[in-house]
């Protein structure tokens, strides 16, 4: 802003300087020319008046000439003295204003310039001279047209030119003056300068004018006689070779400029002050909020997310500050969310950890109980007891073993589900047979407990994995029956949009709201129910939850503590397909297909070999046992038969593992002999390895009934469908 | 300080002076104060006034005529002084030179000494029969001796015999005229001076009574009945004096202001007087007369 004002001001000054100078110059030159014209006329007038005197006939008497001269003096006040010289150069007449006239004086002037010059050039301008020390005079001489006309000589008082120059007014202190060809002052308003015979020939403007004449620039800035700096212009007075100078002191000439300069300066100053004020205001208005923004941003950047920037300027800065605040708020929110999530996750991890601990505690407790019972029963068997008592004890032992087996199977299921080795095989099937099996499966238990079990038939079809869906329903119904002591259990389904809603109702103890999430965790049993640990392990709903998630079936729970619960599973509904066949029931009657079957058992544990071998032989199988594939093959040499089944421990002490041993044997007989694995290792990796090789894996300890079920599957004429979840775990005893 | 306040001529001169001062920016009573003293030719009064004015310590003193200038110079050598109608200031000791006066005095001269011859010429021209000429002068005025000298030098060429008549008052003028007029063909030259100025009516009346053709130095002599006047225009000199007063008031030093000469000459002829004297004015003279009084 200052810069603009300054440039503007300077341009203004520059232009007004040029304009002022040009206009002053023009005025001065005009005045000089006008003055030169006047002086020229003055001189010419005198010349012309004198000229008349030269035109008198040569025969004119001196008396006539005298009279003519007096007329001249009267008409031309500037002529102080007049003389007429005859052709021979003799002065015949002299007329003066202040001294007596001379007639026929006869003074010889023939050799003087005032005679010779006009004779030669018609006219003669003599040098300026001073009478009485101080009065400027010039001799002006004219020769007549005829040779005998003589010469008229006039002494012209040049003080009269002062009248001319003193009338020239330039500004207040401007003036005009006249300089002769030699550079001497002829006329000046300050007559004293002229009277003092001032020599101005060395003034630069006079030098320039004398040297250059018309060609030189007529105006320049120079010093005048008094040493002042002036703007000067001149015009020549041609006949005498004089010059009129018109000068104006620079100070006055540029006074308007100075005024304009002062004005511009004031404007500049005002502009500067305004600019500074504006800058200060802007600084206050902008810099302060920017600083607030800066420190605020820094604070937020340092993590003080609750810091808020306070700017109340009503402009973009405030908007920016608000955006900063919003950003900080969002950050804070995100941060809080993150923290909450971390907390939640941590809590979940803690819960999981707690669940694992609880699991371990529960598992060890639930395992220890039957083990303890087994120990007691075995001790009783050692004593001599009667056969009735012994059968009773054996039945108890069977029960304890079954309980342990159930526990291990359930654990195995959880393990399998967590390992992700279960791949659902969806199919479209009718729900009716599945529901019927629920009824037949639990009708007995319900009747024993005095409960009313009602399963509503349905003609709906669904898309799901039939085996896994059945597991879900088995667990749900099993739970319902277990936790209901009076009333009944109701299973039904109805269509809800694209889904079939299968519901399991009970009139049991119900589930408090705050525990609804927990019941789907492992080993969770409702608190305050210790006395009636209902023979379950708390794994049922955990399996249901996992299976539902695996299948993508939403599960819903509604419950009123003390009144009962309702579990609902939503399964994709499908249109009925009458042509489709019902899936085969996984719970077929087990026939005895073992007779005379050749089974190879490989285990590096001799005791296991003996136990399993004895058990299989007891079921009518031929058994070849060995600690490795090679050992088994060595014993098979005697036999010409191909084995019907291979049972191998997964982890062997030799170089081969169970899978490799099975492959070994299959290669030896060049036939794909049915085979499964047994392992004491429950790690999910074992399961995945076995699944990858297409082998079933049973975990030790393998209860005889499970072993028998497996044998049934593998030794049937038609090999059993691939079903990882064995029937032993399907019984739903949770 | 001048001769007389009452005279018509003086009034117009003072008016011209004041007018010029006004033009230069000085208004009496507003910018400057002017004290006037009119001694009316009384040398004693003139002397008293000179002391009085010097005692006022003015910024500048304007003096008219040689005697007044001489008296003022006796009172002060420092107060700036401008003179008018002073003849031969160098010879009178008022200034060192015309170009550079040097002291506290400068001004405007009226006549060169050669005018003595010129007046004689003019007198001879209007009254060719004049053979005896009385020069009325103030004997103590140096300049008058110069005029006298010039006239005396020119006298033979005009075949005229000169008579000096030194006067100080009206009685002496009357006596001189009466004595001179006893012989015929007389004429008179009146030199410029306070005495001749103050007693101009006595002179004019005497000239008429004794039928003396006379030439006077200033126009008002002709206007008031003198035969012929030839001399400088004093009004012009007063205007010039105003410019000098102005410059002195503005700081100029009198010693650096050159003494200027009066340049404007005028010739006046009173035809009534001429007729009364039985003079037929020659046409050559009439032709160059600036003003003819009928």
């Amino acid at each position: 802003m200052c810069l603009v004002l300054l440039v503007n001001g300077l341009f203004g000054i520059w232009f007004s300087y040029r304009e002022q100078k040009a206009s002053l110059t023009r005025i001065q030159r005009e005045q000089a020319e006008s003055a030169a014209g006047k002086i020229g006329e003055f001189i010419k007038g005198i010349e012309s008046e004198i000229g008349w005197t030269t035109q008198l006939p040569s025969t004119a008497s001196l008396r006539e000439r005298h009279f003519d001269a007096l007329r001249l003096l009267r008409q031309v006040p500037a002529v102080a003295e007049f003389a007429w010289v005859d052709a021979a150069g003799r002065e015949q007449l002299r007329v003066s204003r202040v001294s007596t006239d001379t007639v026929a004086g006869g003074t010889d002037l023939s050799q003087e310039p005032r005679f010779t010059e006009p004779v030669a050039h018609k006219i003669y301008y003599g040098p300026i001279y001073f009478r009485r020390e101080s009065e400027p005079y010039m001799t002006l001489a004219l020769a007549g047209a005829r040779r005998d006309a003589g010469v008229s000589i006039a002494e012209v008082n040049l003080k009269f030119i002062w009248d001319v120059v003193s009338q020239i007014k330039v500004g207040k202190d401007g003036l005009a003056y006249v300089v002769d060809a030699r550079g001497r002052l002829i006329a000046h308003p300050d007559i004293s300068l002229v009277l003092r015979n001032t020599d101005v020939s060395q003034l630069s403007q006079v030098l320039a004018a004398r040297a250059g004449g018309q060609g030189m620039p007529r105006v320049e800035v120079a010093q005048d006689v008094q040493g002042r700096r002036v703007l000067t212009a001149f015009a020549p007075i041609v006949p005498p070779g004089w010059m009129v100078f018109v000068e104006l002191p620079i100070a006055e000439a540029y006074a308007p400029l100075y005024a304009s300069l002062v004005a511009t300066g004031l404007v500049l100053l005002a502009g500067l002050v305004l600019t500074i004020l504006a800058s200060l205001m802007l600084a206050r208005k902008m810099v302060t909020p920017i600083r607030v923004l800066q420190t605020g941003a820094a604070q937020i950047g340092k993590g003080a997310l609750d810091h808020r920037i306070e700017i109340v300027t009503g402009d973009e800065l405030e908007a920016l500050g608000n955006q900063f605040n919003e950003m900080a708020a969002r950050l804070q929110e995100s941060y809080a969310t993150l923290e909450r999530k971390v907390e939640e996750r941590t809590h979940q991890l803690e819960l999981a950890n707690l669940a694992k601990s609880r699991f371990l505690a529960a598992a060890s407790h639930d395992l220890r109980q039957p083990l303890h019972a087994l120990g007691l029963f075995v001790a009783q068997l050692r004593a001599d007891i009667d056969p009735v008592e012994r059968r009773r004890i054996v039945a108890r032992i069977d029960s304890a073993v079954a309980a342990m087996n159930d526990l291990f199977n359930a654990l195995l299921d959880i393990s399998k589900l967590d390992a992700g080795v279960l791949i659902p095989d969806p199919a479209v099937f009718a729900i009716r047979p599945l529901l019927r099996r629920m009824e037949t499966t639990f009708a007995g238990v319900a009747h024993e407990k005095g409960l009313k079990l009602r399963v509503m038939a349905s003609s709906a079809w669904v898309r799901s994995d039939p085996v896994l869906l059945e597991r879900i329903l088995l667990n749900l119904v099993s739970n319902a029956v277990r936790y209901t002591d009076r009333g009944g259990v109701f299973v039904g389904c109805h269509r809800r949009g694209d889904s079939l809603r299968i519901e399991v109702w009970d009139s049991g103890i119900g589930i408090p709201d705050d525990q609804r999430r927990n019941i789907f965790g492992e080993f969770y049993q409702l608190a305050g129910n210790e006395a009636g640990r209902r023979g379950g392990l708390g794994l049922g709903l955990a399996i249901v939850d996992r299976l539902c998630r695996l299948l993508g079936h939403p599960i819903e729970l509604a419950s009123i503590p003390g009144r009962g619960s309702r579990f609902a599973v939503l399964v994709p509904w499908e249109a009925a397909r009458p042509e489709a066949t019902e899936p085969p029931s996984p719970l077929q009657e087990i026939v005895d297909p073992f007779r005379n079957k050749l089974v190879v058992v490989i285990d590096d544990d001799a005791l296991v070999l003996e136990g399993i071998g004895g058990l299989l032989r007891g079921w009518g199988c031929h058994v070849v046992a060995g600690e490795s594939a090679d050992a088994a093959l060595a014993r098979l040499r005697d036999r010409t038969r191909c084995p019907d089944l291979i049972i191998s421990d997964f982890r062997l002490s030799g170089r081969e593992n169970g899978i490799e041993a099975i492959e070994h044997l299959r290669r030896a007989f060049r036939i794909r002999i049915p085979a499964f694995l047994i392992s004491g290792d429950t790690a999910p990796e074992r399961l995945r390895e076995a699944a990858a090789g297409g082998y079933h894996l049973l975990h030790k300890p393998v209860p005889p009934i499970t072993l028998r079920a497996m044998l049934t599957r593998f030794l049937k004429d038609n090999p059993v469908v691939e079903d990882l979840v064995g029937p032993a775990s399907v019984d739903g005893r949770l | 300080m001048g001769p007389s306040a009452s005279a018509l001529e003086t009034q117009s001169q003072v008016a011209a002076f004041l007018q010029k001062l006004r033009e230069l920016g000085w208004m009496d009573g507003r910018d400057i104060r002017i004290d006037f003293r009119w001694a009316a030719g009384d040398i004693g009064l003139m002397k008293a006034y000179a002391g009085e004015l010097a005692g006022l310590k003015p910024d500048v003193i304007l003096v008219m005529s040689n005697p007044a200038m001489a008296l003022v110079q006796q009172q002060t050598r420092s107060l700036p002084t401008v003179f008018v109608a002073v003849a031969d200031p160098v010879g009178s000791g008022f200034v060192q030179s015309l170009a550079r006066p040097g002291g506290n005095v400068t001004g405007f001269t009226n006549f060169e000494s050669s005018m003595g011859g010129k007046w004689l010429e003019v007198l001879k021209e209007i009254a060719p029969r004049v053979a005896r000429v009385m020069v009325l002068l103030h004997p103590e005025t140096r300049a008058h001796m110069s005029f006298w000298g010039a006239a005396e030098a020119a006298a033979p060429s005009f075949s005229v015999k000169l008579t000096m008549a030194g006067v100080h008052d009206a009685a002496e003028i009357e006596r001189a005229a009466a004595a001179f007029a006893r012989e015929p063909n007389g004429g008179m030259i009146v030199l410029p001076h306070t005495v001749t100025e103050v007693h101009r009516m006595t002179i004019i009346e005497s000239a008429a009574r004794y039928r003396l053709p006379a030439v006077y130095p200033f126009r008002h002599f002709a206007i008031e009945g003198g035969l012929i006047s030839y001399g400088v225009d004093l009004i012009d000199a007063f205007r010039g004096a105003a410019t000098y007063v102005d410059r002195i008031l503005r700081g100029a030093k009198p010693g650096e202001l050159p003494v200027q000469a009066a340049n404007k000459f005028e010739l006046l002829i009173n035809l009534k007087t001429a007729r009364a004297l039985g003079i037929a004015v020659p046409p050559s003279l009439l032709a160059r007369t600036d003003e003819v009084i009928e």
Side-chain angles (χ1 to χ4, degrees), chain B residues 17-230:
Chain B
F17 176 74
L18 295 177
Q19 170 64 28
K20 188 67 185 176
L21 274 183
R22 267 199 298 279
E23 284 172 23
L24 294 166
W26 305 101
M27 177 82 91
D28 183 20
R30 188 191 69 185
D31 310 299
I32 47 172
R33 200 189 89 203
I34 302 177
D35 291 299
F36 295 93
R37 293 291 185 277
W38 309 108
D42 185 331
I43 298 297
L45 199 57
M46 207 179 280
K47 197 169 183 172
Y49 285 158
E52 208 174 298
L53 287 178
L56 290 171
K57 302 279 176 205
D59 291 316
V60 61
I61 303 171
L62 177 68
V63 179
M64 187 179 175
S65 85
N66 281 44
M69 183 61 234
L71 288 168
V72 167
Q73 201 174 29
Q74 282 171 21
Q75 291 296 324
T76 175
R77 290 268 175 184
S78 59
L79 288 173
T81 306
V82 176
F83 58 74
V84 282
V86 162
D88 191 16
V90 178
S92 306
F94 300 149
V95 295
Q96 290 162 23
S97 80
L98 295 173
R100 284 196 148 270
N104 61 321
V105 176
T106 187
F108 289 73
T109 58
N110 45 12
F111 301 110
E112 294 179 48
S113 54
S114 63
M115 282 299 285
K118 196 65 188 174
W119 280 315
L120 184 57
E121 185 186 280
V122 170
L123 181 61
K124 190 70 179 163
E125 199 169 353
I126 194 166
R129 292 188 294 106
V130 168
R132 301 168 53 246
V133 173
M134 178 178 76
V135 179
L136 201 63
L137 52 78
H138 183 256
E140 285 76 29
T141 296
R142 275 193 57 124
H144 283 191
M145 291 305 121
S146 307
F147 291 131
W148 169 260
E152 202 170 38
S157 62
F158 293 108
S159 311
V160 167
K161 187 176 177 277
L162 291 187
T163 303
M164 186 190 289
V167 294
H168 300 88
D169 51 41
E172 284 181 13
I173 294 167
E174 182 69 33
R175 273 202 301 277
F180 182 72
R182 281 177 204 139
E183 290 181 38
N185 299 327
M188 183 167 63
I189 295 173
V190 179
L191 294 187
H193 195 270
T194 307
V195 171
T196 56
E197 178 70 33
V198 169
H199 302 293
R200 62 183 181 279
M201 289 319 294
T202 307
I203 296 167
I204 291 166
E205 281 161 14
S206 298
R209 190 182 312 136
Y210 300 112
R211 296 188 67 80
L212 294 173
V215 61
Y216 303 90
F218 299 112
R219 54 181 291 136
H220 51 277
F221 284 88
I223 291 168
E224 285 170 328
L227 176 62
I228 186 168
S229 75
Y230 180 68

Side-chain angles (χ1 to χ4, degrees), chain A residues 284-395:
Chain A
R284 284 178 74 86
K285 240 177 112 78
M286 288 189 67
V287 173
T288 312
I290 285 172
R291 290 232 176 93
V292 172
L293 269 179
Q294 197 180 7
T295 52
Q299 287 236 16
I300 292 168
K302 275 182 199 159
L305 294 180
D306 55 342
H307 183 84
R308 289 293 175 271
I309 296 163
E310 279 183 31
I311 298 172
V312 191
T313 54
D315 56 8
E316 291 84 352
L317 284 168
E318 187 179 339
L320 189 61
N322 289 339
Q323 282 183 348
F324 264 98
N325 286 341
E326 212 169 297
M327 184 192 78
R330 292 255 172 85
L331 274 175
Q332 198 178 18
E333 208 174 289
S334 311
Y335 194 73
T337 308
L338 201 65
E339 275 186 334
R340 200 168 58 244
K341 278 184 180 165
V342 167
E343 257 172 37
E344 256 175 36
R345 201 54 56 82
T346 311
H347 182 63
Q348 282 174 357
L349 284 173
E350 279 169 3
L351 282 180
N353 207 25
L354 210 63
K356 291 285 178 202
S357 303
R358 202 161 53 232
F359 170 86
L360 284 175
S364 63
H365 175 265
D366 286 7
L367 284 169
R368 197 173 289 124
Q369 285 293 90
L371 275 173
H372 179 62
L374 278 175
L376 291 174
F377 295 146
V378 168
Q380 283 180 1
L381 282 177
R382 284 208 184 95
D384 274 337
I385 46 172
D386 60 70
V388 177
E389 180 68 7
R390 190 160 143 178
R391 274 195 299 278
R392 198 181 58 85
I393 289 169
V394 168

Side-chain angles (χ1 to χ4, degrees), chain A residues 63 67 70-71 74 77 95-102 132-135 137 157 159-160 189-193 195-196, chain B residues 97-100 109 112 114-115 117-118 121 125 154 158 230 247 256 258-261 263 265 283-284 287-290:
Chain A
R63 187 179 170 73
F67 183 78
L70 289 170
R71 177 201 59 80
R74 158 129 173 70
V95 181
S96 166
R97 288 186 192 279
V98 293
S99 52
T100 50
D101 300 344
T102 314
R132 295 179 45 219
E133 308 169 43
S134 59
E135 302 280 317
Y137 274 84
N157 186 332
K159 248 170 79 182
F160 285 89
D190 181 0
I191 193 74
S192 64
L193 288 171
L195 298 188
R196 265 185 253 149
Chain B
S97 80
L98 295 173
R100 284 196 148 270
T109 58
E112 294 179 48
S114 63
M115 282 299 285
K118 196 65 188 174
E121 185 186 280
E125 199 169 353
F158 293 108
Y230 180 68
R247 291 179 64 180
E256 292 174 1
V259 175
Q260 294 190 38
N263 290 291
F265 284 82
S284 63
R288 53 190 171 110
T289 301
D290 295 285

